[in-house]
Amino acid sequence: MVNYEYYRIFYYVAKCLNMTRAAEMIGSSQPNVTRSMNNLEAQLGCKLFERTHHGISLTPDGKMLYDHVSIAVDQLQMAEEYISAEKDLDTGQIRIGVTEIAMNVFLLDQLKLFQTKYPRIVVHLYNYTSPKAAEALVRGLVDFAVITTPVNLPETLHVEYLDTFSEILVGGPKYKSLSAKKHSLRELHRYPFISLSVGTGSREFLIQHFLNQGQTFDPAVEAATTGQIQSMVRFDLGLGFVPASYITERGLIREQIYEIPLEDPLPPRKICLVTRDDESNQRQAPLTFVRQLHAAARIGQAGRE
């Protein structure tokens, strides 16, 4: 097998077409460079250079080899520069698996702060359900996940609670009268409900809450996102649960979406940061963002105490 160091030396010799200059570039000596090129030619069984009194030039085989080696060396140099820059957080990439609710309730504010501080780091967001986000993390498709409870996680994953949020029941103009007083789930059972699909944490959470109240949860309409639930509610397709912050922060009352008070409100849910146990081996940019999320969680906890 050819010594790969020979290819690196060959790259500089072919680029300079001068043994002495190539030796200076790689911090070696001219005799060592010449010896390495002789060994490379012997191992490949072909001539790579034409030696004349004017210097050296590439043979057809040498030109063909240089075309391939130059691509590899250039890519390696780019990778080294990328890694070096990322250590300084000058550039880099972060891949985050996130649920829609976790993104809107918690993560967007943190993204804004992070991008302000590190504008050259590229953040990729992948929208998943909580179980799918955990699966993507196990498979190494994302650096970490920010999801909502409830979710069953493999033992190989580490979970930390970042924040809590509450959900409220809302309806459109057709159901505005229901906003005048509190209702039990039994009273509301005859109305159509809108929910996320089976397999999402939100759906499982609602199913369990209704069971705890002696009711079944059988929505008439399924939506792909919480945003779709809001739109369907606004067009009177049924009642739906949305995070309470959507009402105050997005002014849904102005969109003719009304809160329907419940005698037994939904218990709070949690937003979780999920990482692999090998977090210490992750790249610098994701680790920096994870540390920011830890700090935000501590500040939030202190504010609630």
Side-chain angles (χ1 to χ4, degrees):
M1 181 178 291
V2 176
N3 186 335
Y4 282 98
E5 179 66 12
Y6 291 164
Y7 286 129
R8 187 179 76 89
I9 296 172
F10 167 78
Y11 168 81
Y12 287 98
V13 174
K15 191 172 185 179
C16 299
L17 293 178
N18 185 291
M19 296 284 186
T20 302
R21 191 175 304 133
E24 293 173 352
M25 292 185 70
I26 62 177
S28 184
S29 65
Q30 186 271 331
N32 184 56
V33 169
T34 301
R35 184 169 53 253
S36 296
M37 292 303 91
N38 289 337
N39 291 341
L40 179 59
E41 289 179 329
Q43 291 187 29
L44 294 178
C46 65
K47 297 292 290 183
L48 301 173
F49 301 98
E50 294 287 357
R51 294 166 177 83
T52 70
H53 63 280
H54 295 296
I56 59 174
S57 62
L58 290 171
T59 66
D61 285 335
K63 291 178 181 178
M64 183 274 294
L65 182 62
Y66 178 74
D67 288 341
H68 291 277
V69 170
S70 62
I71 293 173
V73 173
D74 288 342
Q75 289 294 320
L76 287 171
Q77 289 177 342
M78 288 176 60
E80 290 173 356
E81 292 170 1
Y82 184 93
I83 291 172
S84 177
E86 189 177 63
K87 286 181 179 178
D88 295 331
L89 288 176
D90 184 44
T91 60
Q93 296 189 49
I94 303 175
R95 305 164 301 162
I96 308 173
V98 61
T99 62
E100 181 199 11
I101 291 177
M103 179 179 69
N104 286 301
V105 171
F106 181 82
L107 191 61
L108 286 179
D109 285 339
Q110 297 305 314
L111 276 173
K112 182 177 180 180
L113 291 174
F114 189 83
Q115 287 277 290
T116 299
K117 191 171 183 180
Y118 306 109
R120 297 185 63 184
I121 293 180
V122 178
V123 178
H124 302 275
L125 294 181
Y126 299 92
N127 188 18
Y128 293 112
T129 63
S130 291
K132 290 297 183 181
E135 180 182 335
L137 183 58
V138 170
R139 294 173 59 192
L141 300 179
V142 296
D143 297 306
F144 59 88
V146 181
I147 62 176
T148 53
T149 57
V151 65
N152 293 319
L153 297 174
E155 293 182 358
T156 55
L157 299 182
H158 179 67
V159 60
E160 299 172 71
Y161 297 128
L162 298 174
D163 203 356
T164 60
F165 69 99
S166 299
E167 292 171 288
I168 58 175
L169 184 63
V170 294
K174 179 179 178 180
Y175 303 104
K176 181 179 179 181
S177 61
L178 295 176
S179 66
K181 64 170 187 155
K182 292 183 178 180
H183 301 271
S184 67
L185 293 183
R186 181 181 298 276
E187 292 177 71
L188 299 172
H189 196 265
R190 60 191 178 92
Y191 294 99
F193 280 89
I194 306 167
S195 171
L196 298 180
S197 60
V198 174
T200 61
S202 294
R203 179 68 167 264
E204 298 305 314
F205 177 76
L206 290 174
I207 289 173
Q208 187 59 53
H209 180 72
F210 272 65
L211 284 176
N212 292 342
Q213 302 299 319
Q215 302 296 314
T216 58
F217 184 63
D218 186 21
V221 183
E222 289 189 353
T225 67
T226 303
Q228 288 182 3
I229 292 178
Q230 294 173 217
S231 297
M232 293 177 182
V233 165
R234 189 164 63 249
F235 282 89
D236 287 329
L237 295 180
L239 310 179
F241 290 93
V242 298
S245 59
Y246 282 28
I247 290 290
T248 57
E249 295 177 5
R250 302 189 180 190
L252 295 186
I253 297 299
R254 292 195 298 272
E255 299 180 20
Q256 293 189 305
I257 294 179
Y258 305 94
E259 180 181 357
I260 300 171
L262 296 175
E263 291 179 357
D264 294 295
L266 270 64
R269 293 170 63 188
K270 294 179 179 179
I271 296 173
C272 308
L273 169 66
V274 186
T275 56
R276 293 187 295 270
D277 285 340
D278 62 347
E279 179 183 319
S280 60
N281 296 323
Q282 291 186 26
R283 294 170 291 113
Q284 184 62 37
L287 284 175
T288 301
F289 201 167
V290 165
R291 293 187 188 107
Q292 177 182 312
L293 297 180
H294 288 163
R298 289 194 296 270
I299 292 172
Q301 179 64 32
R304 289 190 293 270
E305 292 176 349

